[in-house]
Amino acid sequence: MTKQGKVYLIGAGPGDPGLLGLKAKECLQTADAVVYDRLADPRILSFARKDAEMVYVGKASANHTMRQPDINKLLVKLAAEGKVVARLKGGDPFVFGRGGEEAIELREAGLPFEFVPGVTSAIAVAEYAGIPVTHRHVATSFAVITGHEDPTKGESTIHWKGLATSVDTLVFLMGVENIEKISRELIANGRSADCPAAVIRWGTHPEQRTLITTLGKAAADVKATGMKPPAIFLVGEVVRLREQLQWFDNKPLFGKTVIVTRARAQASALTKKLEAQGAKVIEAPAIKIVPAADYAPLDNAIANINDYKWLVFTSANGVDYFFERLGAAKKDARALANVKLAAIGSATAKALAEHGLTADLIPSAYKAEELAEALAGEITAGDKILLARAKVAREVLPESLRKIGAIVDVVTAYETVADCENKDELIAALESGEASIVTFTSSSTVTNLLKVLGDKKELLNKAALAAIGPVTADTLKKHGYTPAINAAEYTIDGLMTAITNFYNK
């Protein structure tokens, strides 16, 4: 039986990936192919299947990767091949998204489709700028107008007279390049040149910029400030409410660009916290966590786990890889019933909790020296200790325990290797001065980022460096860099607090 193809015409929203709808996410997760445009946030694409065919058809003004008729044909071709297609469009498919054109062509080819509405930028971008399109005492109507009409029509079909005098709030999408004409037409048809106006660029993104002006001055102000697409042009008395309702660009880290060097699999936790405070985040992982090259020592330790009095973890990664090997040995948490568990900090303890276990010991300060001191009061000479950790790590902990007579077996649970898939973006952000902060969450992120930068290491002097704890800070100092930000609590939350405090000062 031939598989039935289908196209989901999906609104991806205005930019902030958090505004993507649940149904849109579900469609992406099941699609065989994803056809996406310029305004779809790259993180939205991460919801797609790993084996999905990805096709970029982005269109910017006067720069079309693929023209609309060709996009229509592509959708027909993919669906005719029996594929489920997620057609991902910025905003909403029906608000100047040409979703209707694509659907008509699919209908004519006898192929099924569904629309999945998205949050339109006409409302969301204004909202992120603190400008409501309606307000009970100010505006009871609004209109959404294209700022870029179909050039093949011959003449404009915009009803300027009605818009200028009968609608309270006007939102022009894709209108920045034609702002002079739009302003002229509205003024000529009765709108006051003193009417408040706003131009909002990259709305709902951390790069959002808002220009407050008037209808008469808008074109000149846009030219003077260099505002470029993508942007909306909003006209109406509601613009005055921004003074009271501004919120997005009031966040503590708004306007700051933070580089996260943590491993890709773990970066999202820090990224989300930074973005929640308004920062733009560039993920440039300096390390990648990979399985150990040889698991024989760890597997042997697991086979003899009851020989150990303590099992010690110095990272959440160590916990995860240990339990992966425990499962490979067809064992589970019950195998650790007679072993006490030590975790270097709260994040590591949380990883243990996710496996149903509670750490018996967590030091007050989350570093190897403190863990060694805490364990010293719990063990006696001859006790066997198993330390599952990264291949390359400091020797402070095992050496300290051996000095008091413990037998310490150190086994590799995972390895860290240099990795920076966003090297070009990282270097560009540092060279331009865009990068405000570079975060380091371990010594390995320091050493490996320096390897990645090579002869461009001096670029780190152009940004404030943030260290998650004293060990990471010492590694930076060893290489000639003084961190401007040091976390008092050696966790991601502690690092976030330190960064926020740095700018509050």
Side-chain angles (χ1 to χ4, degrees):
M1 180 176 171
T2 304
K3 182 181 176 182
Q4 174 69 62
K6 185 173 187 175
V7 177
Y8 290 96
L9 297 148
I10 303 169
D16 182 344
L19 298 179
L20 185 75
L22 289 176
K23 185 169 183 179
K25 180 181 176 183
E26 291 169 1
C27 291
L28 280 168
Q29 291 171 330
T30 59
D32 301 306
V34 178
V35 179
Y36 63 102
D37 70 19
R38 172 176 176 246
L39 297 182
D41 188 286
R43 281 170 297 177
I44 291 175
L45 301 178
S46 67
F47 296 125
R49 290 187 351 224
K50 299 299 182 187
D51 62 340
E53 180 182 352
M54 309 297 287
V55 185
Y56 174 65
V57 295
K59 292 182 290 181
S61 178
N63 182 18
H64 296 247
T65 299
M66 187 179 290
R67 303 194 70 80
Q68 189 62 49
D70 297 322
I71 296 174
N72 298 347
K73 289 182 175 62
L74 173 65
L75 296 176
V76 168
K77 175 180 176 292
L78 292 171
E81 291 172 353
K83 293 177 180 175
V84 174
V85 182
R87 169 65 173 117
L88 198 61
K89 309 167 78 68
D92 180 272
F94 271 4
V95 183
F96 306 123
R98 305 187 75 169
E101 296 173 45
E102 294 173 354
I104 288 171
E105 191 129 351
L106 289 163
R107 174 73 72 195
E108 290 174 349
L111 295 164
F113 59 86
E114 282 188 27
F115 285 101
V116 181
V119 178
T120 175
S121 60
I123 297 172
V125 168
E127 203 162 326
Y128 268 56
I131 302 172
V133 294
T134 65
H135 187 75
R136 185 176 182 183
H137 303 296
V138 181
T140 56
S141 62
F142 74 96
V144 182
I145 312 103
T146 180
H148 188 76
E149 288 188 89
D150 182 354
T152 66
K153 289 195 303 184
E155 62 181 38
S156 175
T157 56
I158 295 177
H159 302 291
W160 293 107
K161 181 66 176 175
L163 287 172
T165 59
S166 303
V167 182
D168 296 319
T169 305
L170 305 176
V171 183
F172 291 88
L173 303 187
M174 306 167 289
V176 174
E177 291 177 325
N178 294 320
I179 197 166
E180 186 173 357
K181 177 186 176 184
I182 293 168
S183 301
R184 186 174 62 248
E185 290 283 1
L186 290 173
I187 293 170
N189 282 279
R191 197 79 165 205
S192 170
D194 294 328
C195 182
V199 179
I200 310 162
R201 184 172 192 263
W202 282 117
T204 79
H205 290 262
E207 303 96 316
Q208 177 176 304
R209 294 294 177 268
T210 303
L211 169 66
I212 301 300
T213 180
T214 63
L215 185 57
K217 296 178 180 178
D221 286 348
V222 163
K223 186 175 181 180
T225 56
M227 291 283 272
K228 299 184 185 307
I232 72 167
F233 179 39
L234 191 148
V235 180
E237 291 297 322
V238 289
V239 171
R240 299 186 194 277
L241 292 168
R242 171 172 160 81
E243 188 174 335
Q244 298 167 265
L245 301 179
Q246 182 177 347
W247 65 277
F248 184 58
D249 37 8
N250 285 347
K251 291 187 173 187
L253 299 181
F254 184 83
K256 311 300 180 188
T257 297
V258 183
I259 294 175
V260 172
T261 59
R262 209 174 189 207
R264 174 71 71 193
Q266 299 169 308
S268 60
L270 179 55
T271 294
K272 287 178 181 176
K273 291 179 184 295
L274 288 165
E275 288 182 337
Q277 296 298 311
K280 173 185 176 181
V281 177
I282 296 175
E283 290 187 355
I287 59 171
K288 180 165 65 175
I289 308 300
V290 299
D294 179 13
Y295 270 128
L298 177 56
D299 291 344
N300 183 61
I302 287 173
N304 298 284
I305 195 67
N306 287 320
D307 292 345
Y308 298 98
K309 182 176 181 179
W310 284 91
L311 171 57
V312 181
F313 294 105
T314 55
S315 71
N317 287 317
V319 173
D320 293 339
Y321 277 93
F322 177 88
F323 276 89
E324 187 176 296
R325 297 312 299 174
L326 191 69
K330 301 193 183 311
K331 295 183 179 183
D332 57 28
R334 290 172 295 180
L336 307 180
N338 299 317
V339 184
K340 289 190 173 182
L341 304 174
I344 198 168
S346 58
T348 307
K350 182 181 177 182
L352 279 169
E354 288 172 357
H355 292 280
L357 297 169
T358 301
D360 296 291
L361 184 148
I362 307 172
S364 56
Y366 306 157
K367 58 180 181 177
E369 289 83 351
E370 297 291 338
L371 180 56
E373 185 177 338
L375 277 168
E378 300 288 336
I379 63 178
T380 57
D383 286 344
K384 290 196 71 175
I385 313 293
L386 177 61
L387 172 56
R389 65 177 194 181
K391 181 179 181 180
V392 178
R394 298 165 68 225
E395 294 301 319
V396 172
L397 181 56
E399 287 178 356
S400 298
L401 296 177
R402 285 169 182 147
K403 284 179 181 177
I404 58 177
I407 301 168
V408 184
D409 289 341
V410 179
V411 294
T412 299
Y414 64 95
E415 299 181 24
T416 59
V417 296
D419 177 59
C420 192
E421 59 192 71
N422 285 349
K423 180 180 177 180
D424 292 342
E425 186 179 7
L426 163 68
I427 290 175
L430 289 169
E431 284 181 333
S432 67
E434 177 193 359
S436 310
I437 298 175
V438 182
T439 63
F440 296 95
T441 54
S442 66
S443 291
S444 58
T445 59
V446 175
T447 55
N448 285 320
L449 185 67
L450 291 174
K451 287 178 186 176
V452 167
L453 290 174
D455 60 3
K456 293 183 178 289
K457 288 183 287 192
E458 75 284 351
L459 290 174
L460 286 180
N461 292 317
K462 300 183 75 171
L465 308 184
I468 199 169
V471 175
T472 305
D474 287 344
T475 304
L476 278 166
K477 292 173 185 175
K478 187 177 74 174
H479 289 281
Y481 301 94
T482 301
I485 301 167
N486 289 282
E489 180 185 331
Y490 319 144
T491 63
I492 294 301
D493 286 336
L495 182 58
M496 275 300 308
T497 299
I499 291 171
T500 303
N501 289 343
F502 176 76
Y503 283 109
N504 283 343
K505 288 190 296 184

